[in-house]
Amino acid sequence: MMVGNSLKPDILPALRAGGWAVFVPRELTWDYERAEIPSNSPRFIQLPCIRQLSDLVAERLSH
């Protein structure tokens, strides 16, 4: 599972490799890092803040 705040260098490569990706956006984003959010991927999750990551991992591990 990749957790990152940048779509281009963090999230999209992880999804292309077949992994799960958790996107935690930040307020400021460099133009280089901008990309479309991959809303059609079942392995993509977006969280509003990093503090929610531990709950997400606990939930996924309990299944």
Side-chain angles (χ1 to χ4, degrees):
M1 177 185 296
M2 163 57 80
V3 179
N5 61 3
S6 180
L7 287 169
K8 235 179 197 176
D10 297 336
I11 303 304
L12 297 179
L15 292 173
R16 281 194 295 269
W20 285 80
V22 179
F23 177 51
V24 185
R26 58 184 175 197
E27 286 185 32
L28 299 174
T29 303
W30 293 1
D31 284 340
Y32 165 77
E33 297 174 325
R34 294 184 193 273
E36 271 192 53
I37 292 177
S39 58
N40 61 345
S41 174
R43 293 176 279 109
F44 172 78
I45 300 167
Q46 183 170 338
L47 296 177
C49 70
I50 194 73
R51 290 186 299 264
Q52 295 177 331
L53 182 61
S54 62
D55 291 338
L56 174 69
V57 171
E59 175 188 317
R60 297 290 167 147
L61 290 176
S62 69
H63 286 43

